[in-house]
Amino acid sequence: MFDKISHDWVLRNVPMDKVILKKFLKAGFMEDRKLYPTISGVPQGGIISTTISLITLSGLEGQLKSLLSKTDKLNVVSYADDYIVTAASEEILKEKAIPTIKEFLQERGLEISQEKSKICHIAEGFDFLGFIVPRTKEVLMSG
């Protein structure tokens, strides 16, 4: 996700000095003593990339919850450019959450990762940031 964040969206919505923010966005990265400019997104591992990703995803949970009732039990957890969405049922995810997430991300120049995304029952468990998260009292580390 880092590599596709819309610079225009970031510059319009991130509350900081725009000259400095634009320099962060265009800083690029060095490899083998060669500079590779940043055309879109933010360089992964860049000093501000995690912060920009968090700001870009902020508001997702509020937007989702504004469309649902409290009985839908929807929650969002995010870290940098990774996030999980939990809900009371698969139908809530498919019919309400996913269309809203797609619209939210598209506005920011992003899309749901087909490779990293799946819908599963909590009892099945899933990998999030290198941890296998099952519905048990223990959290097991994968890797």
Side-chain angles (χ1 to χ4, degrees), residues 93-126:
L93 289 172
K94 285 183 175 178
E95 295 170 15
K96 297 179 183 177
I98 290 174
T100 302
I101 293 166
K102 285 180 177 180
E103 181 180 316
F104 181 91
L105 293 176
Q106 184 177 20
E107 179 183 337
R108 290 151 175 80
L110 305 170
E111 58 188 32
I112 293 175
S113 168
Q114 298 303 316
E115 302 85 46
K116 292 172 67 175
S117 300
K118 72 174 187 171
I119 295 176
C120 66
H121 192 278
I122 191 74
E124 179 184 332
F126 55 90

Side-chain angles (χ1 to χ4, degrees), residues 7 17 35 59-60 64 76 80-81 84 104 113 130:
H7 284 190
D17 181 291
L35 176 63
L60 176 59
L64 286 166
V76 177
D81 67 335
I84 57 172
F104 181 91
S113 168

Side-chain angles (χ1 to χ4, degrees), residues 1 9 16 67 89 100 128:
M1 185 184 306
W9 187 91
M16 70 173 278
L67 301 172
S89 72
T100 302
F128 184 61

